[in-house]
């Protein structure tokens, strides 16, 4: 049950947090708009699409920064408590530092639940419109997919490969399709110099088609200069857009990762990293809460300004570590799990150290 002290701190906690959101989210929108207004005008983006984009922008960027807003809001209002000697009075009345932290953890739990629900179910839907608008008007010509050396296992029996894929023309080059029988023996192999999706007819067009079949230890070859046919896969299944994991909710993402792992997707680490980051953000809310309280609960000569400066510095270091390890996981064989765990582990140790120091 919450006491008067708990309700007092929790109220200040949540009001300051909401104030941070209402203050910095519009600033973020205006800063982004000032940067992108030229491209919006040059590309003649419709006003309705721009409004929807910035609605999605608020959800996507806001969710990523919620732990940082939480961190800064705690430093802000706790520094005020310390400067008014309220914390000294609370601790002098017999309240332990651990008991003093309880309403902070209650607030962090509420924010962590918000981050979890948004990251797992709300933000993925917003990411669809956000990324589509970005690549349509701001990142024209930039690749949204892996387009080289694409290998996919469609099911237990069928495999395909293309050396390169042009998503705009929907054509893949040096196409190979292999089908194995129930005992794992190659049944037939189809190859072509390219495979093109003909949307009007809903067919695939193979150029320099060749099919090799083995029957009773005899190889049969069927070759044609061009063949129109159908396959069970979609041309976009060759390689999904790079941001596809961001657009899937918790359950869809788990299924998608398993499907891509079964297919042997080369960029599986990027998808797994998105999954782990969604779980890590709520945990970061608790770690940053402890650091913020430990830093700002002691009255200093520099006051709130010094505490906020320190807080902003810690926030930038946290983002830096997150980006560095995230890039390692996406572009090398570094474990996505370690890429998420290491920054939180380092800051978790730092949080415990700062807490012990504050208690003394």
């Amino acid at each position: 049950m919450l006491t008067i002290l708990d309700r007092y701190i929790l109220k200040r906690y949540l009001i300051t947090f909401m104030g941070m959101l209402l203050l910095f989210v519009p600033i973020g929108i205006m800063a982004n708009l000032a940067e992108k207004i030229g491209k919006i005008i040059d590309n003649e983006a419709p006003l309705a699409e721009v409004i929807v984009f910035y609605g999605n922008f608020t959800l996507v960027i806001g969710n990523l920064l919620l732990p940082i807003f939480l961190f800064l809001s705690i430093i802000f209002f706790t520094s005020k408590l310390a400067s008014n000697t309220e914390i000294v009075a609370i601790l002098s009345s017999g309240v332990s530092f651990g008991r003093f932290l309880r309403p902070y953890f209650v607030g962090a739990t509420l924010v962590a639940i918000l981050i979890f629900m948004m990251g797992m179910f709300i933000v993925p839907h917003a990411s669809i419109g956000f990324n589509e608008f970005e690549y349509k008007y701001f990142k024209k010509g930039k690749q949204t997919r892996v387009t080289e050396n694409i290998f996919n296992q469609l099911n237990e029996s069928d495999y395909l490969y293309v050396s390169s894929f042009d998503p705009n023309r929907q054509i893949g080059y040096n196409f190979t399709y292999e089908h194995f029988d129930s005992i794992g023996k190659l049944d037939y192999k189809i190859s072509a110099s390219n495979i093109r999706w003909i949307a009007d007819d809903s067919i695939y067009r193979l150029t320099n088609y060749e099919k090799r079949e083995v029957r009773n230890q005899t190889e049969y070859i069927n070759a044609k200069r061009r063949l129109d046919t159908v396959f069970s896969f979609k041309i976009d299944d060759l390689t999904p857009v790079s941001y596809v994991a961001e657009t899937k909710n918790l359950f869809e993402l788990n299924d998608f990762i398993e499907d891509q792992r079964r297919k042997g997707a080369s960029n599986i680490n990027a998808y797994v990293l998105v999954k782990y980051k969604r779980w890590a953000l709520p945990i970061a809310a608790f770690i940053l809460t402890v650091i913020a309280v430990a830093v700002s609960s002691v009255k200093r000569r520099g006051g709130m300004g010094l505490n906020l400066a320190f807080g902003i510095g810690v926030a930038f270091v946290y983002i830096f570590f997150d980006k560095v390890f995230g890039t390692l996981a996406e572009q090398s064989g570094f474990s996505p799990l370690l890429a998420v765990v290491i920054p939180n582990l380092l800051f978790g140790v730092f949080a415990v150290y700062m807490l012990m120091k504050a208690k003394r």
Side-chain angles (χ1 to χ4, degrees):
M1 183 177 178
L2 297 178
T3 63
I4 295 175
L5 173 63
D6 293 332
R7 290 196 296 271
Y8 174 69
I9 293 177
L10 187 58
K11 180 180 178 182
R12 298 284 296 273
Y13 184 119
L14 297 177
I15 288 176
T16 309
F17 176 65
M18 292 304 299
M20 283 282 182
L21 289 180
L22 294 175
L23 175 64
F24 284 104
V25 168
I27 291 175
I29 293 174
M30 295 306 297
N32 185 271
L33 182 59
E35 178 188 355
K36 303 292 179 63
I37 188 67
K39 291 184 178 180
I40 291 174
I41 294 173
D42 291 342
N43 293 312
E44 299 180 349
L47 178 60
E49 288 188 31
V50 173
I51 293 173
V52 171
F53 167 74
Y54 278 105
N56 293 327
F57 173 89
T58 300
L59 293 172
V60 173
I61 303 301
N63 184 66
L64 291 175
L65 296 178
L66 278 178
I68 304 301
F69 291 151
L70 169 70
F71 182 62
L72 295 178
S73 63
I74 292 174
I75 289 180
F76 180 80
F77 88 83
T78 305
S79 295
K80 289 189 69 176
L81 293 179
S83 64
N84 294 334
T85 15
E86 292 180 70
I87 295 178
V88 173
I90 291 170
L91 298 178
S92 299
S93 67
V95 175
S96 67
F97 199 86
R99 176 63 183 81
F100 170 69
L101 281 173
R102 191 172 79 172
Y104 286 94
F105 279 111
V106 173
T109 301
L110 295 176
V111 175
I113 293 172
L114 174 64
I115 294 173
F116 177 84
M117 296 304 296
M118 287 187 63
M120 295 298 188
F121 301 104
I122 300 174
V123 172
H125 180 72
S127 292
I128 300 173
F130 174 80
N131 283 290
E132 286 179 351
F133 189 93
E134 281 266 318
Y135 281 95
K136 183 178 181 181
Y137 296 109
F138 299 154
K139 298 181 180 179
K140 282 189 173 183
K142 291 190 177 181
Q143 285 188 177
T144 61
R145 308 167 186 259
V146 174
T147 58
E148 302 292 333
N149 297 320
I150 299 164
F151 172 84
N152 269 336
Q153 179 180 350
L154 301 177
N155 50 53
E156 293 182 357
S157 304
D158 299 305
Y159 300 80
L160 64 84
Y161 169 83
V162 291
S163 63
S164 62
F165 175 64
D166 184 344
N168 295 322
R169 298 172 60 198
Q170 295 199 313
I171 182 172
Y173 298 93
N174 298 320
F175 169 75
T176 299
Y177 184 97
E178 296 178 341
H179 176 76
F180 293 82
D181 59 22
S182 58
I183 61 174
K185 185 178 179 180
L186 181 64
D187 189 17
Y188 63 83
K189 177 179 179 179
I190 295 173
S191 59
S193 59
N194 64 63
I195 177 172
R196 181 193 296 271
W197 171 247
I198 309 299
D200 292 341
D201 300 323
S202 298
I203 59 170
Y204 290 95
R205 177 162 295 163
L206 304 178
T207 304
N208 297 325
Y209 162 86
E210 183 179 274
K211 182 177 182 180
R212 294 175 177 267
E213 294 182 86
V214 178
R215 296 287 181 269
N216 298 322
Q217 298 183 342
T218 302
E219 184 179 47
Y220 297 90
I221 299 177
N222 180 18
K224 294 183 180 180
R225 188 170 182 276
R226 192 182 82 178
L227 176 70
D228 292 343
T229 186
V230 294
F231 287 107
S232 59
F233 62 87
K234 298 178 182 178
I235 192 70
D236 284 341
D237 289 341
L238 289 176
T239 172
V241 290
S242 57
Y243 55 83
V244 64
E246 300 170 19
T247 66
K248 297 186 178 297
N249 64 38
L250 171 62
F251 307 111
E252 292 170 343
L253 182 57
N254 288 334
D255 293 340
F256 174 75
I257 289 173
E258 287 305 312
D259 183 57
Q260 291 299 305
R261 185 174 279 119
R262 177 179 57 79
K263 290 179 178 179
S266 59
N267 54 342
I268 188 70
N269 273 7
Y271 307 141
V272 176
L273 182 65
V274 171
K275 173 184 175 179
Y276 288 147
K277 278 189 173 183
R278 290 186 186 177
W279 287 101
L281 275 177
I283 297 172
F286 291 97
I287 295 173
L288 293 176
T289 293
V290 173
I291 296 175
V293 175
V295 167
S296 56
S297 59
V298 179
K299 190 173 183 179
R300 291 182 173 83
R301 184 175 298 177
M304 185 186 302
L306 181 62
N307 289 338
L308 283 174
F310 179 83
I312 292 172
V314 170
F316 274 111
V317 172
Y318 178 81
I319 293 172
F320 173 77
F321 272 82
D322 181 68
K323 290 295 182 183
V324 168
F325 284 100
T327 302
L328 282 175
E330 288 179 352
Q331 300 183 5
S332 69
F334 194 75
S335 166
L337 180 59
L338 289 179
V340 172
V341 168
I342 289 176
N344 283 289
L345 183 61
L346 291 175
F347 276 83
V349 172
F350 180 65
V352 172
Y353 167 76
M354 293 298 295
L355 184 60
M356 295 298 103
K357 187 176 179 181
K359 283 182 177 181
R360 291 197 298 268

